[in-house]
Amino acid sequence: MAYTVGQVAKAARVTVRTLHHYDGIGLLSPSGRTPAGYRRYDDADLERLQHIRFYRELGFPLEEIAVILDDPDADPAAHLRRQHDLLSGRIGKLQEMVAAIEIAMEARRMEINLTPEERFEVFGDADPEEHAEEARQRWGDTEAYRVSTRRAASYSKEDWLRIKTEQDNWGRRIVAALTAGTPADSAEAMALAEEHRQLIVRWFYDCSYEVHTGLADMYLADPRFTAYYEKIAPGLAEYLAEAIHANAISRA
């Protein structure tokens, strides 16, 4: 089947100008042209464009993508395996970043007694004080905020690293459940939701089931929380929220 440049641009969510540029540098040249000289793309061209977009999303320069795709020893399956490995590595890094951000946000206010070097080791690029003022304004009058503040202020670097390790471990398992298609109201997903609640209880404040479902709603209502989870795995914010609600209902 033949596709116009406009159809390809719309389907791939790129601009016509981008496709013209790819053609100009030889990265993606259409397989055919009309008698009037208009570009016509076939299914193989679209498959190549999909690979280009994957590698671009992973940060590869166009010149390197051309070399990769034109490698005569690399078949389509090899490209998919490589992209899978690269994306898996990115997911792991994003998961670590999200865990660090969630630690910071759930701690509510961030009088954390760590040196700059220790903060970088624990939180990486995430700034644990970025949302401190907002947290004080939203929750400063609550007992949970006050308890979380006192506890967070008392933690050492080793404590924060222990929290991060526990959250990373939990994060890997809930992503695995989501990826495997495990229903959000299954025993496995609800157990992970309960573990999420217990992490908050153990390290920050007494998180009742009512409070926990409130957090779940916030994960969907606040675009920042939603974005954090969606960067780990598409659909994770909604999946976690559903699991938290299901867990609360099952324990009512």
Side-chain angles (χ1 to χ4, degrees), residues 2-200:
Y3 306 89
T4 67
V5 66
Q7 289 173 323
V8 173
K10 183 177 180 180
R13 297 182 180 179
V14 297
T15 65
V16 170
R17 183 177 180 180
T18 294
L19 293 175
H20 287 176
H21 177 60
Y22 289 172
D23 185 12
I25 63 175
L27 180 60
L28 177 66
S29 298
S31 297
R33 288 182 181 268
T34 67
Y38 295 109
R39 296 170 175 83
R40 287 294 183 267
Y41 296 84
D42 61 16
D43 291 335
D45 297 329
L46 265 63
E47 182 178 0
R48 182 178 176 93
L49 178 57
Q50 183 182 48
H51 288 308
I52 292 170
R53 291 192 63 214
F54 279 150
Y55 283 120
R56 283 297 286 164
E57 180 65 26
L58 290 164
F60 283 71
L62 294 178
E63 296 80 2
E64 188 171 348
I65 294 174
V67 173
I68 293 171
L69 295 181
D70 292 334
D71 181 356
D73 296 326
D75 58 19
H79 287 305
L80 291 173
R81 286 193 298 271
R82 178 174 187 175
Q83 290 161 5
H84 180 275
D85 291 343
L86 291 169
L87 286 169
S88 296
R90 172 174 284 192
I91 287 171
K93 177 61 177 176
L94 288 171
Q95 189 170 325
E96 292 177 1
M97 293 173 65
V98 170
I101 291 170
E102 189 169 70
I103 290 171
M105 295 184 75
E106 287 180 346
R108 300 298 188 235
R109 110 120 185 169
M110 310 296 147
E111 290 184 3
I112 300 171
N113 296 319
L114 299 178
T115 67
E117 292 78 10
E118 289 173 334
R119 285 185 179 221
F120 186 80
E121 181 179 350
V122 172
F123 297 108
D125 295 331
D127 181 1
E129 296 185 354
E130 180 180 358
H131 303 284
E133 182 56 34
E134 179 184 352
R136 278 191 286 270
Q137 293 176 1
R138 292 180 65 176
W139 299 293
D141 294 334
T142 66
E143 180 62 21
Y145 175 89
R146 289 189 287 271
V147 171
S148 180
T149 296
R150 290 194 299 269
R151 296 177 71 178
S154 70
Y155 289 152
S156 65
K157 181 189 77 171
E158 288 70 26
D159 292 324
W160 286 108
L161 288 173
R162 191 174 302 114
I163 294 169
K164 184 175 183 298
T165 297
E166 290 185 13
Q167 290 201 341
D168 286 348
N169 179 270
W170 172 85
R172 283 190 292 270
R173 286 181 286 119
I174 196 164
V175 168
L178 170 63
T179 304
T182 306
D185 60 353
S186 67
E188 179 182 350
M190 288 191 293
L192 286 165
E194 177 64 17
E195 185 177 340
H196 180 269
R197 189 183 74 85
Q198 291 295 339
L199 281 170
I200 298 172

Side-chain angles (χ1 to χ4, degrees), residues 201-222:
V201 171
R202 181 159 60 255
W203 292 106
F204 299 112
Y205 55 87
D206 184 15
C207 182
S208 67
Y209 291 105
E210 181 180 3
V211 171
H212 201 210
T213 54
L215 286 175
D217 293 339
M218 185 175 66
Y219 294 161
L220 298 179
D222 189 321

